[in-house]
Amino acid sequence: MLLNPVISKLSGKLVVLASASPRRLEILSNAGLRFEVVPSWFKETLDKSLFKSPYDYAVETAKQKALEVAHRMPFVSCLYLYTVDGLILEKPTDKQDAYRMLSRLSGKEHSVFTGVAIVLCHDKSSDTDYKVVDFYEETKVKFAELSEEMLWEYINSGEPMDKAGGYGIQALGGMLVEYVKGDFLNVVGFPLNHFCKQLGLIFNSPPESPAHKIKRESDEAWSLVNSLSEGAANGEVELLENGKDVSQSSMQEQIVIGPECSRQDIPHSIVSLLDGFKASKTLFTASKLKVFDVLNSSNSLTLEEVAGQINASVLGTERLLEAAVSLGLLERVKQQNTSVYRNTEQASRFLVSESPESLNGYILHCNDMVWPLFSHLENAVREGTSQHELAFGKKNEDVFQDAYYSKDEVKIRFMDAMHSIARVTGKDVATAFDLSPYKTACDIGGCTGAMAYEFTKAHPGLSVIVFDLPQVIEMRRHFQPKEADDRVSFVAGDFFKDDLPKADLYILARILHDWSDEKLDVLLSKLSKMCTPGCGLLVSEILLDEERKSPSRALLQALSMTEGKQRSPTEYSDLLQKHGFTLKHINHTDNLLDAMLFVKEDPNDRRTLLGCSSASIETAELE
């Protein structure tokens, strides 16, 4: 409850997390903050030897990073350090460096310091007034005595390589820790409790509360180009700085709280949109050239090494890598007087093709199929039709049949795209509801079975049949997990033309938005006839809000001009109600897909008809 009063006072202000760190994202998301992600440009060039203590260095670096961002727009950022024996520990450069760090920590108590600077900005007619409030948080951590075997087993897991101090307490590194004294979240990445208290003091203190005042005259050199991140309208802004002590030139973890607008005369959000397509194409190109795979196999490489491995020019590779660093996809660090590049945690998790949660397949699909379509968006809007024929030389139906279901290579590429989304979203969809009443399920259009396997993992008493086109079922062997669950089976058929397998729960994931109302009527009528009262129907889609204003991802997707459409929960409920299915529960998963659970009505049971007018009432009963 501590942050709730603060959140209400942040209403209408822009909040930006200037970090690719999933740890800080998770901590602040769980606290109820809503934010966007933009990196800081400050390079840690401060001489550590000039500071009396690690926390002095942490606070000063935090302050400088916050002010650098404040010059462009309102931000919050953080700096985060580990110390032991008076030594500041950075990210290990290699396995031997990780061994050196962890050996020093073994059996000892060390301190984790986080320096935070909160900058309050006031726009005036001719200059900007800044106030800075800074603090630090210390947490003591005691390592157990670590054997050589345990040390190397942990190092070989790869986890220490992107962690300051060489360990992550929230993951495997937690097994090395004997005790923690102080704020555990401070060790994970952000001192949430102290942060909340400071914000409370700022909001509830009189205007003359203690702060360092810093003034900077308006400088036209801070041009529009330097304001490409995010922006908004005049008003008061709170900035913080939080990060991790890593080698110079590496990515920093930061947060930003901004106002409704820093300057009315500069359209920050519009400028960001102008460059949005460049950022997307940078991601697509790096994925297509296997940059993330190359860096994953070697942990870190020089510019020339990357260029050689992706068979590209040094100049072109340098500009691609620098752009990727600016987007938070890569890190650039100093090693032995040279710069090397490596993946961020987020890139290692989602962009490396062999990662369990890789989005690589979907990214390549966006590059090869979606990008060409959107290149003809003007025609699509004028005509109100898909531009497959203009983009690929064939009509939509022909492309789908001839390309995807004639050539194995293209078919596998399309299936890989669907497989990517299912792997990232499957767990959250499968665990969205209590499905213990159901024993058999049918995943209609389940493609590779990735979603089905998540359902059987989450529900031990459930078996799942994947029902999809014969060509898809034939090719699904390319995606079969090493340890396949025998509770997942595959049946070939066309869900518009053929009989569906019998089940007491049907799953429609990313199906309904693709098809016209006429085709949906055919599918849902067939389902309604198959289902007896009490039969479940789980729908997983991107759910629009009731005003159809967000999420923009769904509305942008609709511009591909497929015959289907995106819907809100009410619209999906109305669609399914016509076929005898009543909405019981909605789960906004905060993942790429949301979930809705429907149940087949008994037309002879008036209680069913009357008791399902409110999904929230049914939700309360289910819980």
Side-chain angles (χ1 to χ4, degrees), residues 16-42:
V16 178
L17 176 64
S19 165
S21 168
R23 299 182 297 277
R24 287 168 180 79
L25 188 150
E26 181 179 10
I27 291 171
L28 292 164
S29 295
N30 289 343
L33 283 174
R34 294 184 178 274
F35 48 84
E36 299 183 27
V37 178
V38 179
S40 170
W41 297 347
F42 179 82

PDB file of all heavy atoms in Angstrom, residues 16-42:
ATOM      1  N   VAL A  16       9.399   6.785 -17.527  1.00  0.00           N
ATOM      2  CA  VAL A  16      10.238   6.038 -18.459  1.00  0.00           C
ATOM      3  C   VAL A  16      11.280   5.255 -17.690  1.00  0.00           C
ATOM      4  O   VAL A  16      11.957   5.802 -16.827  1.00  0.00           O
ATOM      5  CB  VAL A  16      10.947   6.980 -19.458  1.00  0.00           C
ATOM      6  CG1 VAL A  16      11.847   6.187 -20.388  1.00  0.00           C
ATOM      7  CG2 VAL A  16       9.930   7.775 -20.250  1.00  0.00           C
ATOM      8  N   LEU A  17      11.421   3.973 -17.983  1.00  0.00           N
ATOM      9  CA  LEU A  17      12.492   3.150 -17.441  1.00  0.00           C
ATOM     10  C   LEU A  17      13.614   3.140 -18.460  1.00  0.00           C
ATOM     11  O   LEU A  17      13.494   2.551 -19.526  1.00  0.00           O
ATOM     12  CB  LEU A  17      12.001   1.726 -17.175  1.00  0.00           C
ATOM     13  CG  LEU A  17      13.070   0.742 -16.683  1.00  0.00           C
ATOM     14  CD1 LEU A  17      13.608   1.162 -15.331  1.00  0.00           C
ATOM     15  CD2 LEU A  17      12.504  -0.657 -16.617  1.00  0.00           C
ATOM     16  N   ALA A  18      14.697   3.814 -18.157  1.00  0.00           N
ATOM     17  CA  ALA A  18      15.797   3.935 -19.112  1.00  0.00           C
ATOM     18  C   ALA A  18      16.734   2.755 -18.946  1.00  0.00           C
ATOM     19  O   ALA A  18      17.904   2.902 -18.631  1.00  0.00           O
ATOM     20  CB  ALA A  18      16.533   5.257 -18.899  1.00  0.00           C
ATOM     21  N   SER A  19      16.206   1.564 -19.148  1.00  0.00           N
ATOM     22  CA  SER A  19      16.957   0.340 -18.908  1.00  0.00           C
ATOM     23  C   SER A  19      16.289  -0.822 -19.612  1.00  0.00           C
ATOM     24  O   SER A  19      15.074  -0.853 -19.753  1.00  0.00           O
ATOM     25  CB  SER A  19      17.007   0.054 -17.399  1.00  0.00           C
ATOM     26  OG  SER A  19      17.414  -1.269 -17.159  1.00  0.00           O
ATOM     27  N   ALA A  20      17.120  -1.772 -20.043  1.00  0.00           N
ATOM     28  CA  ALA A  20      16.580  -2.997 -20.617  1.00  0.00           C
ATOM     29  C   ALA A  20      16.503  -4.097 -19.567  1.00  0.00           C
ATOM     30  O   ALA A  20      16.183  -5.233 -19.881  1.00  0.00           O
ATOM     31  CB  ALA A  20      17.464  -3.458 -21.783  1.00  0.00           C
ATOM     32  N   SER A  21      16.796  -3.759 -18.320  1.00  0.00           N
ATOM     33  CA  SER A  21      16.843  -4.771 -17.259  1.00  0.00           C
ATOM     34  C   SER A  21      15.450  -5.283 -16.914  1.00  0.00           C
ATOM     35  O   SER A  21      14.596  -4.523 -16.454  1.00  0.00           O
ATOM     36  CB  SER A  21      17.470  -4.166 -15.997  1.00  0.00           C
ATOM     37  OG  SER A  21      17.282  -5.029 -14.897  1.00  0.00           O
ATOM     38  N   PRO A  22      15.214  -6.568 -17.082  1.00  0.00           N
ATOM     39  CA  PRO A  22      13.905  -7.117 -16.708  1.00  0.00           C
ATOM     40  C   PRO A  22      13.673  -7.085 -15.204  1.00  0.00           C
ATOM     41  O   PRO A  22      12.550  -7.091 -14.740  1.00  0.00           O
ATOM     42  CB  PRO A  22      13.965  -8.558 -17.234  1.00  0.00           C
ATOM     43  CG  PRO A  22      15.407  -8.884 -17.343  1.00  0.00           C
ATOM     44  CD  PRO A  22      16.102  -7.594 -17.676  1.00  0.00           C
ATOM     45  N   ARG A  23      14.768  -7.020 -14.413  1.00  0.00           N
ATOM     46  CA  ARG A  23      14.617  -7.001 -12.952  1.00  0.00           C
ATOM     47  C   ARG A  23      13.972  -5.697 -12.502  1.00  0.00           C
ATOM     48  O   ARG A  23      13.029  -5.696 -11.720  1.00  0.00           O
ATOM     49  CB  ARG A  23      15.987  -7.181 -12.290  1.00  0.00           C
ATOM     50  CG  ARG A  23      16.660  -8.489 -12.640  1.00  0.00           C
ATOM     51  CD  ARG A  23      17.977  -8.638 -11.920  1.00  0.00           C
ATOM     52  NE  ARG A  23      18.944  -7.632 -12.305  1.00  0.00           N
ATOM     53  CZ  ARG A  23      19.714  -7.701 -13.373  1.00  0.00           C
ATOM     54  NH1 ARG A  23      19.601  -8.723 -14.191  1.00  0.00           N
ATOM     55  NH2 ARG A  23      20.594  -6.754 -13.646  1.00  0.00           N
ATOM     56  N   ARG A  24      14.476  -4.574 -12.991  1.00  0.00           N
ATOM     57  CA  ARG A  24      13.894  -3.297 -12.599  1.00  0.00           C
ATOM     58  C   ARG A  24      12.493  -3.145 -13.162  1.00  0.00           C
ATOM     59  O   ARG A  24      11.606  -2.611 -12.509  1.00  0.00           O
ATOM     60  CB  ARG A  24      14.796  -2.161 -13.075  1.00  0.00           C
ATOM     61  CG  ARG A  24      16.057  -2.080 -12.224  1.00  0.00           C
ATOM     62  CD  ARG A  24      17.110  -1.178 -12.826  1.00  0.00           C
ATOM     63  NE  ARG A  24      18.271  -1.161 -11.954  1.00  0.00           N
ATOM     64  CZ  ARG A  24      19.186  -2.127 -11.908  1.00  0.00           C
ATOM     65  NH1 ARG A  24      19.061  -3.176 -12.692  1.00  0.00           N
ATOM     66  NH2 ARG A  24      20.203  -2.070 -11.078  1.00  0.00           N
ATOM     67  N   LEU A  25      12.311  -3.617 -14.377  1.00  0.00           N
ATOM     68  CA  LEU A  25      10.984  -3.563 -14.980  1.00  0.00           C
ATOM     69  C   LEU A  25       9.976  -4.303 -14.113  1.00  0.00           C
ATOM     70  O   LEU A  25       8.882  -3.813 -13.843  1.00  0.00           O
ATOM     71  CB  LEU A  25      11.051  -4.174 -16.383  1.00  0.00           C
ATOM     72  CG  LEU A  25       9.807  -4.048 -17.260  1.00  0.00           C
ATOM     73  CD1 LEU A  25      10.220  -3.989 -18.725  1.00  0.00           C
ATOM     74  CD2 LEU A  25       8.864  -5.218 -17.057  1.00  0.00           C
ATOM     75  N   GLU A  26      10.367  -5.488 -13.648  1.00  0.00           N
ATOM     76  CA  GLU A  26       9.449  -6.297 -12.841  1.00  0.00           C
ATOM     77  C   GLU A  26       9.169  -5.644 -11.491  1.00  0.00           C
ATOM     78  O   GLU A  26       8.025  -5.596 -11.036  1.00  0.00           O
ATOM     79  CB  GLU A  26      10.042  -7.692 -12.632  1.00  0.00           C
ATOM     80  CG  GLU A  26       9.146  -8.616 -11.830  1.00  0.00           C
ATOM     81  CD  GLU A  26       9.721 -10.010 -11.656  1.00  0.00           C
ATOM     82  OE1 GLU A  26      10.906 -10.209 -11.988  1.00  0.00           O
ATOM     83  OE2 GLU A  26       8.993 -10.896 -11.183  1.00  0.00           O
ATOM     84  N   ILE A  27      10.218  -5.136 -10.834  1.00  0.00           N
ATOM     85  CA  ILE A  27      10.047  -4.514  -9.518  1.00  0.00           C
ATOM     86  C   ILE A  27       9.098  -3.319  -9.600  1.00  0.00           C
ATOM     87  O   ILE A  27       8.163  -3.187  -8.806  1.00  0.00           O
ATOM     88  CB  ILE A  27      11.417  -4.071  -8.948  1.00  0.00           C
ATOM     89  CG1 ILE A  27      12.268  -5.297  -8.579  1.00  0.00           C
ATOM     90  CG2 ILE A  27      11.222  -3.183  -7.712  1.00  0.00           C
ATOM     91  CD1 ILE A  27      13.702  -4.952  -8.223  1.00  0.00           C
ATOM     92  N   LEU A  28       9.324  -2.453 -10.574  1.00  0.00           N
ATOM     93  CA  LEU A  28       8.501  -1.251 -10.678  1.00  0.00           C
ATOM     94  C   LEU A  28       7.100  -1.551 -11.201  1.00  0.00           C
ATOM     95  O   LEU A  28       6.137  -0.902 -10.808  1.00  0.00           O
ATOM     96  CB  LEU A  28       9.207  -0.231 -11.566  1.00  0.00           C
ATOM     97  CG  LEU A  28      10.484   0.340 -10.923  1.00  0.00           C
ATOM     98  CD1 LEU A  28      11.354   1.019 -11.950  1.00  0.00           C
ATOM     99  CD2 LEU A  28      10.123   1.303  -9.805  1.00  0.00           C
ATOM    100  N   SER A  29       6.983  -2.553 -12.077  1.00  0.00           N
ATOM    101  CA  SER A  29       5.652  -2.956 -12.555  1.00  0.00           C
ATOM    102  C   SER A  29       4.822  -3.499 -11.407  1.00  0.00           C
ATOM    103  O   SER A  29       3.641  -3.184 -11.267  1.00  0.00           O
ATOM    104  CB  SER A  29       5.782  -4.015 -13.656  1.00  0.00           C
ATOM    105  OG  SER A  29       6.400  -3.483 -14.795  1.00  0.00           O
ATOM    106  N   ASN A  30       5.449  -4.326 -10.574  1.00  0.00           N
ATOM    107  CA  ASN A  30       4.731  -4.908  -9.433  1.00  0.00           C
ATOM    108  C   ASN A  30       4.301  -3.844  -8.430  1.00  0.00           C
ATOM    109  O   ASN A  30       3.352  -4.039  -7.680  1.00  0.00           O
ATOM    110  CB  ASN A  30       5.599  -5.959  -8.739  1.00  0.00           C
ATOM    111  CG  ASN A  30       5.767  -7.209  -9.568  1.00  0.00           C
ATOM    112  OD1 ASN A  30       5.004  -7.446 -10.501  1.00  0.00           O
ATOM    113  ND2 ASN A  30       6.768  -8.011  -9.253  1.00  0.00           N
ATOM    114  N   ALA A  31       5.027  -2.715  -8.435  1.00  0.00           N
ATOM    115  CA  ALA A  31       4.662  -1.619  -7.534  1.00  0.00           C
ATOM    116  C   ALA A  31       3.506  -0.792  -8.083  1.00  0.00           C
ATOM    117  O   ALA A  31       2.991   0.079  -7.403  1.00  0.00           O
ATOM    118  CB  ALA A  31       5.870  -0.710  -7.293  1.00  0.00           C
ATOM    119  N   GLY A  32       3.114  -1.070  -9.334  1.00  0.00           N
ATOM    120  CA  GLY A  32       1.978  -0.366  -9.910  1.00  0.00           C
ATOM    121  C   GLY A  32       2.345   0.784 -10.829  1.00  0.00           C
ATOM    122  O   GLY A  32       1.463   1.471 -11.337  1.00  0.00           O
ATOM    123  N   LEU A  33       3.645   1.012 -11.033  1.00  0.00           N
ATOM    124  CA  LEU A  33       4.056   2.084 -11.934  1.00  0.00           C
ATOM    125  C   LEU A  33       3.883   1.658 -13.382  1.00  0.00           C
ATOM    126  O   LEU A  33       4.164   0.513 -13.737  1.00  0.00           O
ATOM    127  CB  LEU A  33       5.528   2.444 -11.701  1.00  0.00           C
ATOM    128  CG  LEU A  33       5.825   3.296 -10.467  1.00  0.00           C
ATOM    129  CD1 LEU A  33       7.325   3.446 -10.294  1.00  0.00           C
ATOM    130  CD2 LEU A  33       5.177   4.662 -10.573  1.00  0.00           C
ATOM    131  N   ARG A  34       3.447   2.578 -14.208  1.00  0.00           N
ATOM    132  CA  ARG A  34       3.359   2.351 -15.646  1.00  0.00           C
ATOM    133  C   ARG A  34       4.421   3.226 -16.308  1.00  0.00           C
ATOM    134  O   ARG A  34       4.545   4.399 -16.002  1.00  0.00           O
ATOM    135  CB  ARG A  34       1.965   2.694 -16.173  1.00  0.00           C
ATOM    136  CG  ARG A  34       0.890   1.766 -15.630  1.00  0.00           C
ATOM    137  CD  ARG A  34      -0.460   2.082 -16.243  1.00  0.00           C
ATOM    138  NE  ARG A  34      -1.469   1.162 -15.768  1.00  0.00           N
ATOM    139  CZ  ARG A  34      -1.727  -0.024 -16.290  1.00  0.00           C
ATOM    140  NH1 ARG A  34      -1.015  -0.435 -17.336  1.00  0.00           N
ATOM    141  NH2 ARG A  34      -2.658  -0.808 -15.816  1.00  0.00           N
ATOM    142  N   PHE A  35       5.188   2.629 -17.225  1.00  0.00           N
ATOM    143  CA  PHE A  35       6.309   3.362 -17.791  1.00  0.00           C
ATOM    144  C   PHE A  35       6.669   2.832 -19.165  1.00  0.00           C
ATOM    145  O   PHE A  35       6.227   1.767 -19.584  1.00  0.00           O
ATOM    146  CB  PHE A  35       7.531   3.273 -16.874  1.00  0.00           C
ATOM    147  CG  PHE A  35       7.837   1.874 -16.412  1.00  0.00           C
ATOM    148  CD1 PHE A  35       8.590   1.017 -17.201  1.00  0.00           C
ATOM    149  CD2 PHE A  35       7.359   1.415 -15.186  1.00  0.00           C
ATOM    150  CE1 PHE A  35       8.852  -0.263 -16.787  1.00  0.00           C
ATOM    151  CE2 PHE A  35       7.619   0.129 -14.771  1.00  0.00           C
ATOM    152  CZ  PHE A  35       8.367  -0.715 -15.576  1.00  0.00           C
ATOM    153  N   GLU A  36       7.509   3.604 -19.861  1.00  0.00           N
ATOM    154  CA  GLU A  36       8.088   3.175 -21.118  1.00  0.00           C
ATOM    155  C   GLU A  36       9.595   3.069 -20.945  1.00  0.00           C
ATOM    156  O   GLU A  36      10.144   3.510 -19.933  1.00  0.00           O
ATOM    157  CB  GLU A  36       7.727   4.159 -22.239  1.00  0.00           C
ATOM    158  CG  GLU A  36       6.226   4.258 -22.461  1.00  0.00           C
ATOM    159  CD  GLU A  36       5.866   5.164 -23.618  1.00  0.00           C
ATOM    160  OE1 GLU A  36       6.693   5.306 -24.541  1.00  0.00           O
ATOM    161  OE2 GLU A  36       4.775   5.732 -23.574  1.00  0.00           O
ATOM    162  N   VAL A  37      10.289   2.473 -21.911  1.00  0.00           N
ATOM    163  CA  VAL A  37      11.725   2.208 -21.779  1.00  0.00           C
ATOM    164  C   VAL A  37      12.527   3.043 -22.775  1.00  0.00           C
ATOM    165  O   VAL A  37      12.288   2.976 -23.971  1.00  0.00           O
ATOM    166  CB  VAL A  37      12.019   0.709 -22.005  1.00  0.00           C
ATOM    167  CG1 VAL A  37      13.512   0.439 -21.911  1.00  0.00           C
ATOM    168  CG2 VAL A  37      11.254  -0.134 -20.999  1.00  0.00           C
ATOM    169  N   VAL A  38      13.470   3.839 -22.267  1.00  0.00           N
ATOM    170  CA  VAL A  38      14.381   4.640 -23.092  1.00  0.00           C
ATOM    171  C   VAL A  38      15.740   4.674 -22.392  1.00  0.00           C
ATOM    172  O   VAL A  38      15.811   4.967 -21.209  1.00  0.00           O
ATOM    173  CB  VAL A  38      13.870   6.087 -23.275  1.00  0.00           C
ATOM    174  CG1 VAL A  38      14.851   6.890 -24.122  1.00  0.00           C
ATOM    175  CG2 VAL A  38      12.487   6.097 -23.900  1.00  0.00           C
ATOM    176  N   PRO A  39      16.863   4.376 -23.086  1.00  0.00           N
ATOM    177  CA  PRO A  39      18.181   4.357 -22.430  1.00  0.00           C
ATOM    178  C   PRO A  39      18.744   5.748 -22.167  1.00  0.00           C
ATOM    179  O   PRO A  39      18.403   6.711 -22.841  1.00  0.00           O
ATOM    180  CB  PRO A  39      19.071   3.612 -23.435  1.00  0.00           C
ATOM    181  CG  PRO A  39      18.171   3.094 -24.505  1.00  0.00           C
ATOM    182  CD  PRO A  39      16.925   3.911 -24.471  1.00  0.00           C
ATOM    183  N   SER A  40      19.676   5.825 -21.198  1.00  0.00           N
ATOM    184  CA  SER A  40      20.414   7.065 -20.926  1.00  0.00           C
ATOM    185  C   SER A  40      21.682   7.082 -21.770  1.00  0.00           C
ATOM    186  O   SER A  40      22.207   6.047 -22.146  1.00  0.00           O
ATOM    187  CB  SER A  40      20.784   7.134 -19.446  1.00  0.00           C
ATOM    188  OG  SER A  40      21.666   8.192 -19.205  1.00  0.00           O
ATOM    189  N   TRP A  41      22.179   8.296 -22.036  1.00  0.00           N
ATOM    190  CA  TRP A  41      23.371   8.443 -22.881  1.00  0.00           C
ATOM    191  C   TRP A  41      24.628   8.759 -22.066  1.00  0.00           C
ATOM    192  O   TRP A  41      25.696   8.955 -22.620  1.00  0.00           O
ATOM    193  CB  TRP A  41      23.151   9.565 -23.907  1.00  0.00           C
ATOM    194  CG  TRP A  41      22.035   9.277 -24.861  1.00  0.00           C
ATOM    195  CD1 TRP A  41      21.398   8.085 -25.059  1.00  0.00           C
ATOM    196  CD2 TRP A  41      21.410  10.210 -25.748  1.00  0.00           C
ATOM    197  NE1 TRP A  41      20.428   8.212 -26.005  1.00  0.00           N
ATOM    198  CE2 TRP A  41      20.401   9.519 -26.456  1.00  0.00           C
ATOM    199  CE3 TRP A  41      21.608  11.565 -26.023  1.00  0.00           C
ATOM    200  CZ2 TRP A  41      19.595  10.124 -27.405  1.00  0.00           C
ATOM    201  CZ3 TRP A  41      20.804  12.172 -26.968  1.00  0.00           C
ATOM    202  CH2 TRP A  41      19.811  11.453 -27.645  1.00  0.00           C
ATOM    203  N   PHE A  42      24.513   8.852 -20.766  1.00  0.00           N
ATOM    204  CA  PHE A  42      25.682   9.209 -19.945  1.00  0.00           C
ATOM    205  C   PHE A  42      26.682   8.052 -19.909  1.00  0.00           C
ATOM    206  O   PHE A  42      26.306   6.897 -19.733  1.00  0.00           O
ATOM    207  CB  PHE A  42      25.233   9.555 -18.529  1.00  0.00           C
ATOM    208  CG  PHE A  42      26.366   9.909 -17.612  1.00  0.00           C
ATOM    209  CD1 PHE A  42      26.901  11.188 -17.623  1.00  0.00           C
ATOM    210  CD2 PHE A  42      26.897   8.970 -16.750  1.00  0.00           C
ATOM    211  CE1 PHE A  42      27.937  11.523 -16.783  1.00  0.00           C
ATOM    212  CE2 PHE A  42      27.939   9.300 -15.899  1.00  0.00           C
ATOM    213  CZ  PHE A  42      28.469  10.579 -15.918  1.00  0.00           C
TER     214      PHE A  42
END
